[in-house]
Amino acid sequence: MSQSLKLIKEHASNPKLWLVIGIGVAGIVVLVETRRRTRRGKTHKQDFGAFVERFELLPFPQPPPPAAKQSLSALTFAINDTFDVKDYVTGFGNSTWKSTHKAAEKTAVVVTALLMSGATCVGKTVVDEFSFGISGENKYYGTPTHPQMPSCKLGGSSCGSAVAVAAGLVDFAVGTDTTGCVRIPASFCGIFGFRPSHGAVSTIGVLPNAQSLDTIGWFARDPSILHRVGHVLLQLNSVETKRSRHFIFADDLFQLSKIPTQNTIYVIGKAIENMSGYQAPKHLNLCQYIDSRVPSLRLHQQSTHQQNETSILKTLSSVMLSLQGYEFKTNHEEWVKSLKYKLGCGVSDHVIAAINTTYDNIKALYKVRTEMRGAFQSLLKDDGILVIPTVAGSQLKLNTKKGFSSEFHDRTFALSSIASVSGCCQVTIPLGYHDDCSLSVSFISFHGADKFLLDTILDIYSTLQEQVSVGSYSLPLPNINGNRETSELLKEKGNAAFKERQWSKALSYYSEAIKLNGTNTTYYCNRAAAHLKLGCFQQAAEDCGKAILLDKKNVKAYLRRGTARESLLCYEEALEDFKHALVLEPQNKDASLAEKRLRKLMS
């Protein structure tokens, strides 16, 4: 018997001995855990936490001459954790799913196509659980780190693929886009993201979330690579179709954005001026257009008691999320109910709601989808490109609950629902940074116009970069010709026009009055009312802000700014305005009803 064992046997009843042994064991455990975490930290630092699994799938051999060189030769790519790879278990972003499923017997069609074109796959990337989130956070595999802004969220669900590209770990990456899962992280990471027309790229070998919305999208830092990958996945020929292009700016959607979008519109407009074959851009109130062309959505809007123009997009996103929930339930209800386990933060509610909801109006939801596709075919025809903001605000900080607020979801889904429900193709285009936030814009073209859209990006992007680099982000405000009439008379003319429902005319009179007297609260407040009638909610909020600076007891200004902010889906700020109005006038019925409505909405 060894000396150590003899000592233990002789002093086994001594509590001090066991205390020493316990401390020693604890020290070893702490040391091992520290080393494990250090190694883990180094791994995440090396790949920004983008990957869940590293491996190498080599490309197919280059065919002998005279065959053309493989179009993606020497490029590397990653796939997210929803794509099948033979002999690997597809994890769906959830460890319980992974432990209850077998390894794939075949590789996804998309992955095989990329390998046949000469690219090398280097691993699988993090995805939100079941492709169901938009935060980019994963309870099981960690949250990837934003390469430029480590304290910010990435957006999801294809967050790992976006990070792998943004960090330069791969040349391009593939992900799934159901409700914005490629477009949102592409915007936040400052890279290109392409959502193809629904059904244009094969989903065989990819775990489904919601089939009528699911698409296979891809990320790249360079428009040329984005273009080349598109030609492989979409099986396009390389012959360029000469076609004119006309751009349509969705002016009302740019009001949803908290980023200086006036400047973005200016930059794109200047780029279009310098391009041959590009027609002068047009401007459109897209919410009004959708409202007039999608009658099924109007009926759905009435059933949900929505009341303003912007709410048509909230209704559209509600349709999108209901379709997603119904199809997710159809696909995975049996598995979810067969197991008891904890889902990640922000995902559990979505999954439970999807499984427990009864979808009585599913036929009406699919009808909205059909009408949306027809409406956008009529709007864009064969040469139209709709310009919208990709996201409505800047990146959210990590470790904050704000990312799961109703306002964040509503503003995000309102924009992403347009292409998701209509089935149109959409590309996210990076435009640099402003105040440490990435700037992007999105182009949307009709269903089936993927090649046209990819060709457009390749054609215009260098000109866009030139316009951004010349410092176009400080623009002169529009100027209105002077008027010698007194400001008070102009205000009265504006009021008369307002009563006649001539909103634009009233707006002009109020603006002239403000030019002559910029310190009158009523002028700004009246102009805000005209802006509200015209659906110019951002301008209405700004006018009310100026009125409040001049008179902090102006109840109408608080009410109108609250209405404008609610229309812009800024619920928290709107609620504060209505609360201010109630403090000033406790019996104000409009303020009281608005406050109750918003509290219910936010809950």
Side-chain angles (χ1 to χ4, degrees):
M1 186 180 294
S2 68
Q3 190 67 22
S4 299
L5 290 175
K6 282 182 180 181
L7 287 171
I8 292 173
K9 190 175 181 180
E10 290 173 4
H11 301 280
S13 60
N14 190 337
K16 292 183 179 180
L17 173 64
W18 292 108
L19 179 62
V20 171
I21 292 173
I23 292 172
V25 171
I28 293 170
V29 171
V30 170
L31 180 62
V32 169
E33 178 64 12
T34 301
R35 288 180 176 176
R36 185 187 70 80
R37 291 188 179 186
T38 301
R39 288 196 300 271
R40 183 182 176 188
K42 287 180 179 177
T43 302
H44 280 203
K45 187 177 180 181
Q46 182 181 359
D47 63 12
F48 295 89
F51 288 88
V52 296
E53 204 165 9
R54 284 279 203 172
F55 51 75
E56 188 175 65
L57 301 178
L58 295 176
F60 284 43
Q62 167 71 42
K69 184 181 178 182
Q70 293 167 316
S71 60
L72 303 180
S73 180
L75 297 182
T76 58
F77 72 99
I79 54 178
N80 77 17
D81 198 20
T82 62
F83 290 80
D84 284 346
V85 173
K86 186 179 179 180
D87 298 329
Y88 289 86
V89 179
T90 308
F92 218 173
N94 181 276
S95 61
T96 308
W97 176 281
K98 190 169 186 176
S99 67
T100 56
H101 287 79
K102 296 179 181 179
E105 296 181 357
K106 294 182 179 179
T107 297
V109 169
V110 162
V111 179
T112 301
L114 295 170
L115 296 174
M116 290 180 68
S117 296
T120 300
C121 182
V122 297
K124 287 191 175 186
T125 57
V126 176
V127 63
D128 284 19
E129 288 180 66
F130 309 113
S131 303
F132 228 128
I134 58 169
S135 69
E137 296 171 296
N138 189 294
K139 171 185 174 181
Y140 299 99
Y141 301 108
T143 301
T145 302
H146 195 299
Q148 283 78 39
M149 291 166 282
S151 63
C152 291
K153 292 186 179 182
L154 302 150
S157 64
S158 298
C159 50
S161 290
V163 168
V165 171
L169 304 175
V170 291
D171 296 301
F172 68 94
V174 184
T176 50
D177 189 309
T178 303
T179 58
C181 319
V182 164
R183 293 162 286 168
I184 295 166
S187 176
F188 284 166
C189 288
I191 57 176
F192 291 92
F194 193 86
R195 175 194 163 94
S197 299
H198 182 261
V201 178
S202 173
T203 56
I204 296 174
V206 184
L207 292 175
N209 178 284
Q211 292 93 319
S212 69
L213 303 171
D214 288 345
T215 59
I216 307 302
W218 56 98
F219 303 90
R221 296 184 303 278
D222 181 271
S224 174
I225 292 178
L226 188 84
H227 191 268
R228 287 158 63 187
V229 173
H231 273 248
V232 169
L233 296 184
L234 295 160
Q235 299 181 350
L236 301 172
N237 60 56
S238 58
V239 178
E240 182 182 355
T241 305
K242 296 293 183 182
R243 196 186 313 183
S244 65
R245 292 166 170 84
H246 79 268
F247 285 78
I248 305 169
F249 289 102
D251 290 341
D252 53 327
L253 301 197
F254 278 101
Q255 292 185 54
L256 286 173
S257 179
K258 294 183 177 180
I259 298 169
T261 50
Q262 241 191 343
N263 308 331
T264 302
I265 293 172
Y266 179 83
V267 165
I268 297 170
K270 294 298 289 183
I272 291 170
E273 286 179 13
N274 295 328
M275 303 295 297
S276 62
Y278 285 47
Q279 300 175 24
K282 297 179 181 179
H283 294 264
L284 172 77
N285 185 309
L286 188 66
C287 290
Q288 288 181 357
Y289 178 80
I290 293 174
D291 191 33
S292 66
R293 296 300 185 102
V294 188
S296 295
L297 188 61
R298 259 198 329 273
L299 293 172
H300 192 75
Q301 185 184 32
Q302 291 169 7
S303 69
T304 54
H305 308 293
Q306 301 290 335
Q307 296 177 343
N308 56 57
E309 269 184 11
T310 312
S311 68
I312 199 77
L313 280 189
K314 188 178 176 185
T315 307
L316 184 66
S317 67
S318 174
V319 169
M320 174 184 74
L321 295 175
S322 294
L323 282 171
Q324 182 187 29
Y326 169 75
E327 293 182 352
F328 183 87
K329 178 178 180 177
T330 303
N331 294 327
H332 306 300
E333 179 181 19
E334 184 179 345
W335 180 82
V336 171
K337 287 187 173 180
S338 69
L339 298 167
K340 292 183 178 180
Y341 63 94
K342 292 182 179 179
L343 298 172
C345 178
V347 177
S348 179
D349 292 343
H350 297 307
V351 172
I352 292 170
I355 298 301
N356 293 337
T357 300
T358 302
Y359 301 91
D360 297 324
N361 62 337
I362 192 63
K363 288 185 178 179
L365 300 180
Y366 283 117
K367 191 173 182 181
V368 170
R369 180 171 166 264
T370 302
E371 290 177 357
M372 275 288 290
R373 182 171 297 185
F376 275 77
Q377 188 71 42
S378 297
L379 174 66
L380 301 173
K381 298 183 171 61
D382 65 348
D383 64 349
I385 295 171
L386 182 68
V387 185
I388 69 169
T390 309
V391 293
S394 56
Q395 292 95 320
L396 295 167
K397 297 293 183 181
L398 289 168
N399 304 316
T400 60
K401 291 185 178 180
K402 185 180 178 183
F404 303 104
S405 69
S406 57
E407 179 181 321
F408 175 81
H409 280 90
D410 287 353
R411 292 169 68 84
T412 303
F413 286 136
L415 293 169
S416 63
S417 64
I418 296 166
S420 289
V421 179
S422 68
C424 293
C425 49
Q426 177 176 340
V427 60
T428 297
I429 308 164
L431 293 177
Y433 290 83
H434 177 80
D435 290 340
D436 296 325
C437 295
S438 60
L439 289 173
S440 75
V441 72
S442 274
F443 290 174
I444 295 177
S445 201
F446 60 91
H447 183 270
D450 303 74
K451 182 180 186 302
F452 172 65
L453 191 56
L454 285 167
D455 288 349
T456 301
I457 300 307
L458 196 61
D459 192 38
I460 197 175
Y461 187 62
S462 61
T463 307
L464 278 176
Q465 283 184 308
E466 290 172 7
Q467 293 302 320
V468 171
S469 66
V470 298
S472 300
Y473 278 86
S474 56
L475 309 177
L477 293 175
N479 196 11
I480 302 171
N481 293 327
N483 194 306
R484 294 186 179 182
E485 295 184 62
T486 65
S487 58
E488 212 37 45
L489 180 59
L490 286 166
K491 183 202 76 172
E492 293 303 324
K493 286 189 173 185
N495 291 347
F498 193 93
K499 288 178 182 177
E500 295 294 324
R501 305 173 67 86
Q502 297 175 337
W503 320 125
S504 296
K505 194 173 182 180
L507 187 69
S508 296
Y509 282 128
Y510 294 140
S511 297
E512 291 292 343
I514 288 170
K515 284 192 67 177
L516 294 174
N517 183 1
T519 59
N520 189 300
T521 305
T522 304
Y523 298 169
Y524 286 109
C525 203
N526 287 7
R527 189 168 70 173
H531 277 309
L532 284 174
K533 291 294 185 181
L534 290 167
C536 302
F537 304 117
Q538 190 66 50
Q539 290 91 328
E542 290 171 1
D543 272 348
C544 290
K546 291 172 183 175
I548 290 167
L549 284 175
L550 294 167
D551 178 8
K552 296 188 183 299
K553 295 183 179 181
N554 191 309
V555 175
K556 285 185 178 179
Y558 283 112
L559 287 172
R560 287 170 184 172
R561 188 169 71 176
T563 301
R565 285 174 165 177
E566 183 180 355
S567 298
L568 293 168
L569 309 182
C570 299
Y571 302 137
E572 293 177 5
E573 295 172 358
L575 181 61
E576 288 301 314
D577 279 332
F578 293 131
K579 285 164 64 177
H580 273 298
L582 279 173
V583 169
L584 294 169
E585 286 186 11
Q587 303 304 318
N588 191 298
K589 291 183 180 180
D590 290 336
S592 179
L593 288 171
E595 186 196 28
K596 290 176 183 177
R597 180 177 66 250
L598 276 172
R599 288 192 184 280
K600 183 178 180 181
L601 187 64
M602 293 171 69
S603 66

